[in-house]
Amino acid sequence: MALFEVTLILLLIAVALTALSRWLEVPYPSLLALAGAGLAFLPGAPMIEIDPELALALFIAPVLLDAAYDTSLRDLKRYRLSLVLLALGAVVFTTVVVAFVGWKMAGLPIAAAIALGAIVAPPDAVAASAVLNQFKVPHRLTAILQGESLLNDATALLIYRIAVSAAIGSVMLKDAVPVVLLSTVGSVAAGYLFGRISLLTLTRIEDAASSTVVQFAGTFAVWIIADRIGLSAIITIVVYAITIARTAPRHMTARRRVSTYSVWESAVFVLNVLAFVLMGLQARSIVGRLSGEGQGDAFAFAATVLAVVIVARLVWVLAYVAIMRRFARFDSEEQRRDAPTFRGAVLVGWCGMRGLVTLVAAIALPTGFPGRDPIVLAAFAVVLGTLVLQGISLKPLLRRLNFERDTTVDREVAQARVAIMQAALDVLSRKTTAAAAVVREQYEAQRLVAENPEDAQAATEYDRLRLYAINRQRDTLEELRRNGTIGDEAYHRLEEEIDWAELAASPAGRFQPLTTY
């Protein structure tokens, strides 16, 4: 019961911290990390151990699917070289450097040292995205960071599973290569197959709540099945999510889509909070087991791993950018303009905050794993240190780098908006009824606004008028229910219609309903 009460309190605190993070303009995981670390010093906090397999399935599966669902295949292809160098090269480089430190400084077995390296290797772009979006940094950089965040999880967790298996004696490192190759190919095929099966199921479910439950159940089922048959659950989930993302939205109703997105967003937020709760509770028990001289050595080792992780990423990113710019001298002028810059390299290198994947991978180490306590403590130090040091300093760094505001996504949205408005007008052109004339007039107005995205005043005025009218509709609807003219069933049906109208009138959430005009 104590754990439930602590978790409930932490969830409410997390909501307050999220609001505080927006006010301070820092990533909310940075404040969550501080709150989780505070649990380690909270008197009477409960001790808890979680089953390793449950930790990976419960936390990693939905978070990976959520990230993969939002991944742009176009950007993955466009920036494939940078993504490979980061998601594969940087992860392997960091793993090797940290493993060497763990082997030399802490005396960890090779397999356990590699597991530590894989745990702390993958950065999490979620922590950086909120701040980056405020500054409208070049789209290339945000696309690379988001793509890397997905792919490096798969790389790091694959290395992690092999290293853990080798450390507990279930597989030899020298036999891992053919296992990895077979697992990778099989996982890609299985992920695509599971995705197609899931699509057949989801397209036949109309109820929003049932659809969301099936999505969660399907995600966990795919992870468990892939793990049981010897495939890489990580790769399978990633391919599964991308397969669904390319097809499912077209076959879902707007109601189901809005409901699903909001539930997944809330679920990922709750999982982040719970992970930091577990971090604090585990850190408390670990610090309690370490005593005397061993405690000092463990903290010194954790601080060293934190420094190595930060420096290793910066060295790798700056080195590969320097090499790419050197070869870019032989490219065309257009290719030279698209070459990575050292300002971008500094930003990408500094956006190395570790998050949920590192936390869960550390928590999921089996009890009795060689060097488990110093490994878990080092992982927690890396998460806390990178989120606090890099996360809080990200905004000042962006001001210093002074990137020009990037409008790539805004231009794409404007172009697409004109196209979809014109498509609606084309399909209505053959309709001659009075109702069709009213609808055409609305779409004509929206197209005119879309064709002039630089005319911010026109867009603002148009949306303000719509939201002003919608707010009046809500007042009238409330009055009709209050005076008994309509019942709750009619009220909720009309309320849903007004909700959709308000969503359509609030692009990117820029405006709120107005009470006066």
Side-chain angles (χ1 to χ4, degrees), residues 205-253:
I205 300 176
E206 296 298 329
D207 178 60
S210 300
S211 176
T212 304
V213 170
V214 169
Q215 288 177 48
F216 274 99
T219 300
F220 292 123
V222 168
W223 179 282
I224 293 169
I225 293 171
D227 192 53
R228 292 284 173 84
I229 63 179
L231 299 176
S232 167
I234 302 101
I235 296 175
T236 305
I237 281 288
V238 169
V239 177
Y240 169 76
I242 293 176
T243 302
I244 294 176
R246 304 301 293 180
T247 310
R250 188 66 185 87
H251 298 282
M252 293 173 64
T253 62

Side-chain angles (χ1 to χ4, degrees), residues 261-426:
Y261 290 171
S262 61
V263 170
W264 274 94
E265 184 178 4
S266 300
V268 170
F269 175 76
V270 170
L271 289 174
N272 270 281
V273 174
L274 293 179
F276 284 108
V277 170
L278 288 173
M279 179 191 82
L281 297 179
Q282 292 255 318
R284 177 185 178 89
S285 62
I286 290 170
V287 172
R289 286 195 295 268
L290 296 170
S291 60
E293 186 178 345
Q295 190 178 77
D297 292 341
F299 280 112
F301 174 62
T304 303
V305 172
L306 169 61
V308 167
V309 164
I310 293 175
V311 173
R313 178 174 175 85
L314 284 169
V315 168
W316 177 268
V317 175
L318 290 170
Y320 92 70
V321 167
I323 294 172
M324 290 179 68
R325 287 184 63 83
R326 191 172 187 85
F327 281 105
R329 294 184 303 173
F330 305 103
D331 294 333
S332 65
E333 184 177 348
E334 182 179 353
Q335 290 174 317
R336 284 199 298 272
R337 284 199 302 268
D338 291 336
T341 64
F342 282 110
R343 281 194 305 168
V346 171
L347 178 62
V348 171
W350 196 247
C351 287
M353 289 80 82
R354 270 57 175 180
L356 184 62
V357 172
T358 294
L359 281 180
V360 175
I363 293 169
L365 285 174
T367 303
F369 187 83
R372 185 182 190 276
D373 283 353
I375 289 175
V376 174
L377 188 63
F380 292 165
V382 169
V383 172
L384 181 62
T386 56
L387 282 174
V388 173
L389 293 176
Q390 295 179 309
I392 294 179
S393 63
L394 186 57
K395 181 182 175 181
L397 176 65
L398 284 166
R399 293 193 186 280
R400 187 65 178 251
L401 294 174
N402 194 27
F403 289 105
E404 294 181 6
R405 288 181 64 84
D406 188 281
T407 58
T408 300
V409 175
D410 294 335
R411 290 197 306 271
E412 290 179 356
V413 168
Q415 182 180 2
R417 186 175 289 133
V418 172
I420 62 176
M421 296 305 170
Q422 187 59 52
L425 289 169
D426 290 344

Side-chain angles (χ1 to χ4, degrees), residues 19-272:
L20 179 62
S21 71
R22 286 195 294 267
W23 182 66
L24 296 174
E25 296 183 324
V26 298
Y28 85 85
S30 298
L31 300 184
L32 278 183
L34 289 172
L39 280 178
F41 305 99
L42 188 67
M47 298 292 185
I48 183 173
E49 297 290 338
I50 187 168
D51 179 73
E53 294 301 322
L54 173 62
L56 287 173
L58 177 62
F59 291 97
I60 300 298
V63 171
L64 266 183
L65 184 133
D66 183 64
Y69 195 93
D70 295 331
T71 298
S72 167
L73 286 179
R74 184 198 66 176
D75 290 339
L76 290 181
K77 294 175 183 177
R78 179 177 296 175
Y79 307 120
R80 56 186 177 275
L81 178 57
S82 295
L83 288 172
V84 169
L85 289 170
L86 285 171
L88 183 61
V91 166
V92 172
F93 179 70
T94 304
T95 300
V96 170
V97 174
V98 172
F100 180 78
V101 172
W103 175 56
K104 282 291 187 181
M105 185 174 179
L108 296 175
I110 293 296
I114 293 174
L116 169 61
I119 288 171
V120 300
D124 183 3
V126 172
S129 60
V131 179
L132 294 179
N133 290 338
Q134 294 172 7
F135 284 82
K136 294 284 187 181
V137 301
H139 176 67
R140 171 191 173 89
L141 298 180
T142 56
I144 288 173
L145 285 170
Q146 289 168 357
E148 179 207 3
S149 180
L150 172 67
L151 300 177
N152 65 16
D153 289 347
T155 303
L157 290 174
L158 193 59
I159 298 172
Y160 166 83
R161 296 301 289 265
I162 294 170
V164 170
S165 299
I168 62 178
S170 61
V171 70
M172 299 295 291
L173 283 176
K174 63 182 179 63
D175 300 327
V177 173
V179 172
V180 169
L181 293 177
L182 182 62
S183 172
T184 301
V185 175
S187 299
V188 171
Y192 178 77
L193 179 62
F194 287 139
R196 301 306 300 182
I197 293 173
S198 179
L199 287 170
L200 291 175
T201 304
L202 291 173
T203 53
R204 286 167 170 75
I205 300 176
E206 296 298 329
D207 178 60
S210 300
S211 176
T212 304
V213 170
V214 169
Q215 288 177 48
F216 274 99
T219 300
F220 292 123
V222 168
W223 179 282
I224 293 169
I225 293 171
D227 192 53
R228 292 284 173 84
I229 63 179
L231 299 176
S232 167
I234 302 101
I235 296 175
T236 305
I237 281 288
V238 169
V239 177
Y240 169 76
I242 293 176
T243 302
I244 294 176
R246 304 301 293 180
T247 310
R250 188 66 185 87
H251 298 282
M252 293 173 64
T253 62
R255 176 183 171 84
R256 285 172 57 198
R257 188 160 49 250
V258 172
S259 172
T260 298
Y261 290 171
S262 61
V263 170
W264 274 94
E265 184 178 4
S266 300
V268 170
F269 175 76
V270 170
L271 289 174
N272 270 281

